[in-house]
Amino acid sequence: MMKIKSLDKALRRKIAAGEVIERPSSVLKELLENSLDAKSETISVSLVDGGISAIVISDDGEGMDRGDLELCTRRYTTSKIETEADLNAIETLGFRGEALASIAEVSRMQVTSCPRGDREAHELVVVGGEEQEPIPAARAPGTTVKVRDLFFNLPARRRFLKSARSESFHANRVLQRLALTKPGVGWSLKHGQRTVLTAPAVKTLTDRVAQIYGAKTARRLIAIEAEQDGIAVSGLISRPDLKRGNRRDQILCVNGRPIEDRGLSYILASAYKGMLRPGTFPIALIQINLPSEWVDANIHPRKREVRFADAKAVQAVMSRALQTALSSQYVVPSMAGVRSSAREQEASYGAAPLKFALRRRLEVSHVAREEEKTNVHGDRRVIGQLQNTYLLVEGPDGLEIFDQHIAHERILYEGLKEQWEHGEISRQQFLLPVRIELPFEQAERLAGDKEKLQRVGIVLEEFGGGTFLLREYPSALTEGQSRYGFQRPIEQIVDLLAEGDELKEKLFDHLLATLACSAAIKAGDHLPLEQQQGLVERLMNLDNPYTCPHGRPIIFSIPRAELDRKFKRA
């Protein structure tokens, strides 16, 4: 009996669809790219249940007549290429002729379109790959695509979708990335009846950044530009004092197409080497333009990756653009900038934390004076600080080296956890609230969970336009966090909230650990000898003074016997 059989046609179509469509955000990406290829000037998006129940995209693009409409949902039909030679010079976002067919195969889809310069519109309905005859409809020039009940005929795939809220975050990110690459297009996004983004067309990328991230962030970005041998690099990057906790806000574009490329990501990271602390990342919105025949976009069904004819040449131009910008005068803080920052902090934090922040800004690292006295806790005595990062301690059995950041993180975490276990974390109210600005996709996530965050001592008020006012913060962390600013911990918390729909115990523990880490003394902070000693004493009084909440070691020991052996005393 033969083991090898030809797969059923319907099954083959579903397998092919799975290569392109994995979740609602995949549908959104493909449909938005079609709208952009149709030269749309405005695009509106509406999602129901994060796109699981419905995705509606309406544009004012070129539109389709009845004949085009009949063909548009069939596999390997496209208006974007005709011959094999066209694959060598792709200038559109879509070209494979698979996206609409794949979407139609796993949903109930309705396409209504009217060509520009025409008054006659038609509507096509496709259910699970089975299309009906187009019928006359009413619509202004452009196209509307409605996708409902995604994966209704693939229950196994539908079960793997996340909650509606999680899926909406993925969809937000897709739209945000495309909106940042196309500032000349107007965008709007609704979740149910709630409008979460309105971004009219603007002339510059800086203006679009102000719409997405806020004007304050836009002012802190610097332009990059370089061109050589037909390769042009332009865009915006953040100054080293503006950073993120992940690479989410790094967008690389090649000829208008957002891509992922390890080589270019490495060039970006290398440009900031020595400027950013480990685990922090810059904002980067980088556009690379080169002749279309020098880049191959046909290497992955989802079109996320490209192959360059000369990758090293592209990397060299991008590296030069980054290095030129990061060595410019715009990166170096001026005293005027310090004074301006001081006023901003006074408005945000109040006078007392401001004085501490200014002291730290002007502080110069120095060696502890010999006349400073130390307290001895049991049989441990702090000798001093190594490179403003490690504490050298004389222990009962030799030399002990403490990581000051991790030690303080454990202390703060234990304090928060004790308050949490007793039912409530003590909060400090700000006299003047701290202004937090977030991209709309993060703001949407935070808006839904701000009431739950009160359980970990954080009180936020939604101000609109991606802006929140931080009114209360855990008392044990407020002074320490004011030294470093409150923007980053809020961003980190938003990312943690994406891990689960309910704030379960494990997630709460992660939140507490993240808050403690953010407020803890940092590597590079100078501490008076008395403060060093106090840190060691507080740590050693804990039940677990040896690892941080994330599992990293706090103490490294060199026994006296080992020292004697190294110096040949034994």
mmCIF file of all heavy atoms in Angstrom, residues 18 42 66 87 95 118 125 134 177 182 200 204 242 248 259 287 302 320 329 352 371 375 384 400 408 498 521 527 557:
data_model
loop_
_atom_site.group_PDB
_atom_site.id
_atom_site.type_symbol
_atom_site.label_atom_id
_atom_site.label_comp_id
_atom_site.label_asym_id
_atom_site.label_seq_id
_atom_site.Cartn_x
_atom_site.Cartn_y
_atom_site.Cartn_z
ATOM 1 N N GLY A 18 -0.953 29.188 6.555
ATOM 2 C CA GLY A 18 -0.282 29.228 7.854
ATOM 3 C C GLY A 18 1.119 29.783 7.796
ATOM 4 O O GLY A 18 1.663 30.237 8.806
ATOM 5 N N THR A 42 -4.706 58.261 3.289
ATOM 6 C CA THR A 42 -5.225 58.055 4.650
ATOM 7 C C THR A 42 -5.673 56.610 4.794
ATOM 8 O O THR A 42 -6.251 56.029 3.872
ATOM 9 C CB THR A 42 -6.421 58.984 4.962
ATOM 10 O OG1 THR A 42 -7.472 58.730 4.025
ATOM 11 C CG2 THR A 42 -6.013 60.442 4.900
ATOM 12 N N ARG A 66 -14.236 45.643 -11.036
ATOM 13 C CA ARG A 66 -14.825 44.314 -10.836
ATOM 14 C C ARG A 66 -13.863 43.200 -11.246
ATOM 15 O O ARG A 66 -13.730 42.194 -10.550
ATOM 16 C CB ARG A 66 -16.132 44.199 -11.619
ATOM 17 C CG ARG A 66 -16.781 42.827 -11.495
ATOM 18 C CD ARG A 66 -17.951 42.664 -12.448
ATOM 19 N NE ARG A 66 -18.418 41.278 -12.409
ATOM 20 C CZ ARG A 66 -19.502 40.866 -11.788
ATOM 21 N NH1 ARG A 66 -20.251 41.743 -11.146
ATOM 22 N NH2 ARG A 66 -19.843 39.588 -11.804
ATOM 23 N N LEU A 87 11.339 40.372 -10.126
ATOM 24 C CA LEU A 87 11.772 39.948 -8.785
ATOM 25 C C LEU A 87 13.121 40.539 -8.410
ATOM 26 O O LEU A 87 13.477 40.606 -7.238
ATOM 27 C CB LEU A 87 11.853 38.420 -8.710
ATOM 28 C CG LEU A 87 10.532 37.666 -8.593
ATOM 29 C CD1 LEU A 87 10.777 36.160 -8.647
ATOM 30 C CD2 LEU A 87 9.812 38.039 -7.309
ATOM 31 N N PHE A 95 4.181 41.563 -3.153
ATOM 32 C CA PHE A 95 4.523 41.143 -4.517
ATOM 33 C C PHE A 95 4.300 39.648 -4.741
ATOM 34 O O PHE A 95 4.280 39.183 -5.879
ATOM 35 C CB PHE A 95 5.985 41.465 -4.849
ATOM 36 C CG PHE A 95 6.975 40.824 -3.916
ATOM 37 C CD1 PHE A 95 7.482 39.553 -4.162
ATOM 38 C CD2 PHE A 95 7.399 41.483 -2.776
ATOM 39 C CE1 PHE A 95 8.394 38.966 -3.293
ATOM 40 C CE2 PHE A 95 8.301 40.899 -1.911
ATOM 41 C CZ PHE A 95 8.796 39.634 -2.161
ATOM 42 N N ASP A 118 -13.700 56.684 -10.778
ATOM 43 C CA ASP A 118 -14.883 55.907 -11.126
ATOM 44 C C ASP A 118 -15.920 56.070 -10.017
ATOM 45 O O ASP A 118 -15.579 56.368 -8.876
ATOM 46 C CB ASP A 118 -14.517 54.436 -11.282
ATOM 47 C CG ASP A 118 -15.530 53.681 -12.132
ATOM 48 O OD1 ASP A 118 -16.695 54.121 -12.173
ATOM 49 O OD2 ASP A 118 -15.154 52.653 -12.732
ATOM 50 N N VAL A 125 -17.309 38.744 -1.440
ATOM 51 C CA VAL A 125 -17.340 38.008 -0.173
ATOM 52 C C VAL A 125 -16.682 36.656 -0.385
ATOM 53 O O VAL A 125 -17.002 35.944 -1.344
ATOM 54 C CB VAL A 125 -18.787 37.815 0.325
ATOM 55 C CG1 VAL A 125 -18.809 36.927 1.575
ATOM 56 C CG2 VAL A 125 -19.428 39.166 0.630
ATOM 57 N N PRO A 134 -18.845 38.956 -7.362
ATOM 58 C CA PRO A 134 -18.911 40.356 -6.934
ATOM 59 C C PRO A 134 -20.271 40.967 -7.231
ATOM 60 O O PRO A 134 -20.901 40.643 -8.245
ATOM 61 C CB PRO A 134 -17.815 41.032 -7.759
ATOM 62 C CG PRO A 134 -16.900 39.923 -8.167
ATOM 63 C CD PRO A 134 -17.771 38.722 -8.343
ATOM 64 N N ARG A 177 4.819 50.738 13.664
ATOM 65 C CA ARG A 177 6.028 50.645 12.846
ATOM 66 C C ARG A 177 5.783 51.209 11.444
ATOM 67 O O ARG A 177 6.612 51.953 10.906
ATOM 68 C CB ARG A 177 6.501 49.192 12.755
ATOM 69 C CG ARG A 177 7.052 48.648 14.064
ATOM 70 C CD ARG A 177 7.332 47.168 13.962
ATOM 71 N NE ARG A 177 8.469 46.882 13.087
ATOM 72 C CZ ARG A 177 9.748 46.888 13.476
ATOM 73 N NH1 ARG A 177 10.044 47.166 14.727
ATOM 74 N NH2 ARG A 177 10.714 46.614 12.633
ATOM 75 N N LYS A 182 6.041 55.830 7.313
ATOM 76 C CA LYS A 182 5.279 56.574 6.308
ATOM 77 C C LYS A 182 4.628 57.818 6.937
ATOM 78 O O LYS A 182 3.410 57.881 7.124
ATOM 79 C CB LYS A 182 4.191 55.684 5.703
ATOM 80 C CG LYS A 182 4.690 54.395 5.095
ATOM 81 C CD LYS A 182 5.520 54.649 3.841
ATOM 82 C CE LYS A 182 5.962 53.316 3.221
ATOM 83 N NZ LYS A 182 6.802 53.536 2.019
ATOM 84 N N PRO A 200 -2.636 62.423 11.757
ATOM 85 C CA PRO A 200 -2.757 62.981 10.405
ATOM 86 C C PRO A 200 -1.405 62.989 9.693
ATOM 87 O O PRO A 200 -0.343 62.941 10.328
ATOM 88 C CB PRO A 200 -3.255 64.405 10.661
ATOM 89 C CG PRO A 200 -3.832 64.379 12.048
ATOM 90 C CD PRO A 200 -3.027 63.370 12.794
ATOM 91 N N THR A 204 7.422 65.609 8.154
ATOM 92 C CA THR A 204 8.725 65.110 8.584
ATOM 93 C C THR A 204 8.584 63.943 9.546
ATOM 94 O O THR A 204 7.551 63.782 10.205
ATOM 95 C CB THR A 204 9.534 66.217 9.286
ATOM 96 O OG1 THR A 204 8.912 66.523 10.539
ATOM 97 C CG2 THR A 204 9.623 67.462 8.418
ATOM 98 N N LEU A 242 18.822 59.163 26.430
ATOM 99 C CA LEU A 242 17.456 58.695 26.195
ATOM 100 C C LEU A 242 17.533 57.253 25.725
ATOM 101 O O LEU A 242 18.045 56.971 24.647
ATOM 102 C CB LEU A 242 16.762 59.560 25.129
ATOM 103 C CG LEU A 242 15.362 59.112 24.697
ATOM 104 C CD1 LEU A 242 14.405 59.131 25.882
ATOM 105 C CD2 LEU A 242 14.856 59.993 23.570
ATOM 106 N N ARG A 248 12.465 47.403 21.199
ATOM 107 C CA ARG A 248 11.158 47.603 20.594
ATOM 108 C C ARG A 248 11.107 48.856 19.722
ATOM 109 O O ARG A 248 10.438 48.890 18.689
ATOM 110 C CB ARG A 248 10.095 47.690 21.688
ATOM 111 C CG ARG A 248 8.677 47.907 21.184
ATOM 112 C CD ARG A 248 7.705 48.164 22.326
ATOM 113 N NE ARG A 248 8.130 49.287 23.133
ATOM 114 C CZ ARG A 248 8.577 49.176 24.391
ATOM 115 N NH1 ARG A 248 8.637 48.006 24.981
ATOM 116 N NH2 ARG A 248 8.959 50.247 25.078
ATOM 117 N N ILE A 259 12.313 45.938 8.165
ATOM 118 C CA ILE A 259 12.981 44.638 8.073
ATOM 119 C C ILE A 259 13.648 44.293 9.391
ATOM 120 O O ILE A 259 13.760 45.113 10.309
ATOM 121 C CB ILE A 259 14.052 44.628 6.955
ATOM 122 C CG1 ILE A 259 15.201 45.602 7.326
ATOM 123 C CG2 ILE A 259 13.454 44.949 5.609
ATOM 124 C CD1 ILE A 259 16.510 45.292 6.679
ATOM 125 N N GLN A 287 16.227 54.756 7.930
ATOM 126 C CA GLN A 287 15.780 54.463 6.571
ATOM 127 C C GLN A 287 17.006 54.290 5.674
ATOM 128 O O GLN A 287 17.888 55.149 5.636
ATOM 129 C CB GLN A 287 14.911 55.602 6.039
ATOM 130 C CG GLN A 287 14.449 55.453 4.616
ATOM 131 C CD GLN A 287 13.453 54.324 4.429
ATOM 132 O OE1 GLN A 287 13.826 53.249 3.955
ATOM 133 N NE2 GLN A 287 12.206 54.559 4.787
ATOM 134 N N ARG A 302 6.991 36.015 4.853
ATOM 135 C CA ARG A 302 6.466 37.189 5.553
ATOM 136 C C ARG A 302 7.234 38.460 5.214
ATOM 137 O O ARG A 302 6.956 39.514 5.756
ATOM 138 C CB ARG A 302 6.488 36.946 7.069
ATOM 139 C CG ARG A 302 5.613 35.753 7.473
ATOM 140 C CD ARG A 302 5.456 35.668 8.981
ATOM 141 N NE ARG A 302 4.819 34.417 9.338
ATOM 142 C CZ ARG A 302 5.386 33.457 10.045
ATOM 143 N NH1 ARG A 302 6.614 33.604 10.496
ATOM 144 N NH2 ARG A 302 4.736 32.344 10.329
ATOM 145 N N ARG A 320 28.899 55.010 9.331
ATOM 146 C CA ARG A 320 29.399 56.377 9.219
ATOM 147 C C ARG A 320 28.328 57.380 9.637
ATOM 148 O O ARG A 320 28.619 58.375 10.320
ATOM 149 C CB ARG A 320 29.863 56.646 7.785
ATOM 150 C CG ARG A 320 30.468 58.028 7.583
ATOM 151 C CD ARG A 320 31.386 58.045 6.376
ATOM 152 N NE ARG A 320 30.688 57.700 5.167
ATOM 153 C CZ ARG A 320 30.011 58.572 4.410
ATOM 154 N NH1 ARG A 320 29.927 59.836 4.780
ATOM 155 N NH2 ARG A 320 29.417 58.188 3.310
ATOM 156 N N GLN A 329 28.123 67.790 18.348
ATOM 157 C CA GLN A 329 27.901 68.610 19.544
ATOM 158 C C GLN A 329 26.525 68.390 20.147
ATOM 159 O O GLN A 329 26.286 68.690 21.312
ATOM 160 C CB GLN A 329 28.061 70.082 19.190
ATOM 161 C CG GLN A 329 27.067 70.565 18.134
ATOM 162 C CD GLN A 329 27.208 72.041 17.843
ATOM 163 O OE1 GLN A 329 27.689 72.795 18.684
ATOM 164 N NE2 GLN A 329 26.809 72.461 16.649
ATOM 165 N N ALA A 352 13.006 68.651 47.214
ATOM 166 C CA ALA A 352 13.968 67.823 47.951
ATOM 167 C C ALA A 352 14.678 66.809 47.074
ATOM 168 O O ALA A 352 15.906 66.771 47.036
ATOM 169 C CB ALA A 352 13.256 67.128 49.115
ATOM 170 N N GLU A 371 40.740 59.426 56.967
ATOM 171 C CA GLU A 371 40.184 59.760 58.265
ATOM 172 C C GLU A 371 38.732 59.336 58.438
ATOM 173 O O GLU A 371 38.195 59.430 59.546
ATOM 174 C CB GLU A 371 40.322 61.261 58.554
ATOM 175 C CG GLU A 371 39.553 62.163 57.600
ATOM 176 C CD GLU A 371 40.404 62.634 56.437
ATOM 177 O OE1 GLU A 371 41.332 61.893 56.067
ATOM 178 O OE2 GLU A 371 40.143 63.729 55.899
ATOM 179 N N ASN A 375 32.119 51.589 60.776
ATOM 180 C CA ASN A 375 31.529 50.778 61.822
ATOM 181 C C ASN A 375 31.769 49.320 61.488
ATOM 182 O O ASN A 375 31.727 48.923 60.335
ATOM 183 C CB ASN A 375 30.020 51.040 61.904
ATOM 184 C CG ASN A 375 29.728 52.479 62.287
ATOM 185 O OD1 ASN A 375 30.398 53.010 63.155
ATOM 186 N ND2 ASN A 375 28.751 53.089 61.629
ATOM 187 N N GLY A 384 36.618 49.523 51.347
ATOM 188 C CA GLY A 384 36.441 50.620 50.398
ATOM 189 C C GLY A 384 35.696 50.155 49.158
ATOM 190 O O GLY A 384 35.164 49.048 49.086
ATOM 191 N N GLU A 400 35.954 39.576 50.878
ATOM 192 C CA GLU A 400 34.667 39.405 50.217
ATOM 193 C C GLU A 400 34.406 40.625 49.330
ATOM 194 O O GLU A 400 34.691 41.755 49.723
ATOM 195 C CB GLU A 400 33.535 39.264 51.233
ATOM 196 C CG GLU A 400 33.659 38.003 52.072
ATOM 197 C CD GLU A 400 32.594 37.900 53.141
ATOM 198 O OE1 GLU A 400 31.967 38.942 53.464
ATOM 199 O OE2 GLU A 400 32.396 36.789 53.662
ATOM 200 N N HIS A 408 21.945 46.239 46.954
ATOM 201 C CA HIS A 408 20.868 47.181 47.249
ATOM 202 C C HIS A 408 19.546 46.705 46.649
ATOM 203 O O HIS A 408 18.475 46.879 47.248
ATOM 204 C CB HIS A 408 21.232 48.563 46.697
ATOM 205 C CG HIS A 408 20.384 49.657 47.256
ATOM 206 N ND1 HIS A 408 20.091 50.809 46.576
ATOM 207 C CD2 HIS A 408 19.746 49.771 48.461
ATOM 208 C CE1 HIS A 408 19.326 51.592 47.317
ATOM 209 N NE2 HIS A 408 19.101 50.986 48.460
ATOM 210 N N ALA A 498 2.609 42.702 29.669
ATOM 211 C CA ALA A 498 2.277 41.976 28.443
ATOM 212 C C ALA A 498 2.432 40.473 28.603
ATOM 213 O O ALA A 498 1.942 39.703 27.782
ATOM 214 C CB ALA A 498 3.166 42.457 27.296
ATOM 215 N N ILE A 521 20.935 51.460 43.858
ATOM 216 C CA ILE A 521 22.213 52.102 43.542
ATOM 217 C C ILE A 521 22.802 51.431 42.308
ATOM 218 O O ILE A 521 22.754 50.211 42.162
ATOM 219 C CB ILE A 521 23.180 51.955 44.734
ATOM 220 C CG1 ILE A 521 22.662 52.764 45.933
ATOM 221 C CG2 ILE A 521 24.580 52.379 44.359
ATOM 222 C CD1 ILE A 521 23.329 52.377 47.232
ATOM 223 N N LEU A 527 29.858 55.936 46.711
ATOM 224 C CA LEU A 527 29.207 55.883 48.015
ATOM 225 C C LEU A 527 30.210 56.259 49.095
ATOM 226 O O LEU A 527 31.335 55.758 49.101
ATOM 227 C CB LEU A 527 28.680 54.469 48.299
ATOM 228 C CG LEU A 527 27.774 53.813 47.255
ATOM 229 C CD1 LEU A 527 27.382 52.416 47.717
ATOM 230 C CD2 LEU A 527 26.545 54.661 47.000
ATOM 231 N N SER A 557 33.802 35.529 47.211
ATOM 232 C CA SER A 557 34.721 35.403 48.357
ATOM 233 C C SER A 557 36.079 34.854 47.917
ATOM 234 O O SER A 557 36.157 33.952 47.079
ATOM 235 C CB SER A 557 34.106 34.476 49.410
ATOM 236 O OG SER A 557 35.003 34.289 50.478
#
